[in-house]
Amino acid sequence: MRKSLLAAAFLGLLTAGPAMADAPPPDVLVSIKPLHGLVAAVMKGVAEPGLIVSGDASPHDYAMKPSDARALERARLLVWVGKDFEGWLKKPAAKARHRLTMQEIPGMTRLATREGGVWDSHGNDHGHKDHGKDDHDETDGHLWLDPDNAARLVDAVAGRLAEMDPARADRYKANAAETRKRLADLDSTLAARLKPVAGKPYVVFHDAHQYFEARYGLTPAGAVTIDPERPPSAKRMAALRDRLKATKAACVFREPRFAGPTVQALADAAGARIALLDPEGALAEAGPDAYFTIMTAIADSLADCLSGR
Ligand SMILES: [Zn+2]
């Protein structure tokens, strides 16, 4: 009797034991909120990845805090877009133990950064170099705004985590499969939502939405600024006003951190409506649903404003 109780207790320990006996899951750190959402979805039920640019801080010219540097030192894997987007992370990333760089994943759709901002005008403002740095033909780093690119990232993250943490490989792969399915559903929902407004011109605050626009056949007329950290020049504002009138753009989109007065002045001059786009998820709550929240909000805002609602 006593013996079998002991045996049962021992067996109980054994069955409860394996998770505790395994190595802890890898400490993963992600640069920005939309990518963090996708990584969090792959790691759901295992652990939460860390996030560098949280809240509504700018992902374009973020200043790393000492706590970020410590988090990067602790991390076994850093997931980021790459040097063409988080230029501020280029040097620190080189010291990361392992890196997964979204812009280098094979098969990723990459579009070149658009020049200027009022894309077919002759006006060329300063400042476009700040998006990336070194190269001339740099990639537009807002890669996540194409759901196919998001799916490629999800696969790459799951593959890498499965290698680093084989004990939980099945979990990562199952989560990735579920996330890919959610991405496919999101894609068809967005395509249907945006189809009616595909031909309607509009102006955005900064040129973040190229991948989204290409994917859903939208008709942007320009961006107020290429460099979201700098106000547009008077010359560009004049060019934009002309372009808004010429294209009969219905909407000018502001962003959470930017350009109340600038956008207001433009919209007033052209008789356009103002609405909000949040391509980098400044307003989104971080977590495994963040990517879906961000993409749905963009589609809703575009569809509502451009259809006159
Ligand atoms: Zn941006």
Side-chain angles (χ1 to χ4, degrees):
M1 182 67 194
R2 196 180 163 82
K3 226 177 183 178
S4 64
L5 266 177
L6 268 175
F10 184 64
L11 273 174
L13 271 178
L14 273 183
T15 45
M20 293 175 72
D22 280 343
D27 192 335
V28 180
L29 185 64
V30 189
S31 58
I32 62 169
K33 219 184 277 172
L35 271 57
H36 177 268
L38 295 166
V39 178
V42 176
M43 296 184 75
K44 204 170 172 180
V46 176
E48 273 177 38
L51 171 62
I52 301 179
V53 184
S54 57
D56 65 352
S58 166
H60 283 281
D61 65 347
Y62 182 74
M64 295 251 304
K65 298 183 292 245
S67 57
D68 297 323
R70 286 195 296 275
L72 186 55
E73 232 167 77
R74 265 196 320 270
R76 273 188 67 206
L77 176 66
L78 169 71
V79 182
W80 67 318
V81 177
K83 66 176 176 60
D84 290 342
F85 190 75
E86 308 100 325
W88 49 269
L89 191 54
K90 188 179 165 187
K91 269 190 191 159
K95 286 187 277 181
R97 277 191 267 176
H98 298 277
R99 277 178 306 280
L100 203 161
T101 305
M102 187 176 186
Q103 69 179 65
E104 289 170 4
I105 293 171
M108 199 59 70
T109 297
R110 292 172 51 161
L111 303 170
T113 302
R114 285 188 280 213
E115 300 277 324
V118 185
W119 299 305
D120 62 352
S121 92
H122 337 276
N124 200 357
D125 249 347
H126 347 270
H128 102 267
K129 291 214 66 142
D130 273 8
H131 238 258
K133 294 290 178 236
D134 322 312
D135 328 325
H136 270 295
D137 297 317
E138 65 212 18
T139 297
D140 178 338
H142 302 84
L143 290 167
W144 66 88
L145 288 164
D146 178 336
D148 272 356
N149 280 351
R152 286 183 192 100
L153 178 72
V154 162
D155 280 344
V157 168
R160 185 68 75 88
L161 288 173
E163 275 168 32
M164 296 174 83
D165 183 16
R168 298 177 186 84
D170 289 350
R171 186 61 192 256
Y172 298 131
K173 291 195 170 151
N175 282 348
E178 196 195 312
T179 308
R180 269 201 317 272
K181 195 190 167 301
R182 276 186 84 187
L183 286 169
D185 292 346
L186 174 80
D187 188 38
S188 22
T189 306
L190 264 49
R193 183 98 172 86
L194 292 164
K195 203 171 173 205
V197 298
K200 302 209 167 161
Y202 59 91
V203 166
V204 297
F205 182 69
H206 92 285
D207 188 14
H209 309 84
Q210 197 180 172
Y211 294 93
F212 196 94
E213 287 154 352
R215 177 92 197 163
Y216 300 110
L218 300 172
T219 314
V224 176
T225 178
I226 271 280
D227 177 359
E229 304 306 320
R230 280 189 228 185
S233 66
K235 192 175 149 206
R236 182 192 292 282
M237 285 291 282
L240 272 164
R241 261 195 307 275
D242 292 348
R243 184 132 177 79
L244 267 169
K245 284 182 195 154
T247 58
K248 299 190 171 60
C251 300
V252 181
F253 290 94
R254 65 183 184 87
E255 288 186 31
R257 292 176 301 119
F258 297 113
T262 311
V263 166
Q264 187 71 54
L266 261 182
D268 287 351
R273 289 185 289 277
I274 295 179
L276 177 79
L277 288 178
D278 184 17
E280 278 132 15
L283 304 177
E285 193 184 328
D289 293 326
Y291 180 83
F292 299 90
T293 312
I294 292 167
M295 294 291 279
T296 304
I298 295 171
D300 286 349
S301 186
L302 281 164
D304 285 350
C305 189
L306 293 174
S307 63
R309 261 173 290 173

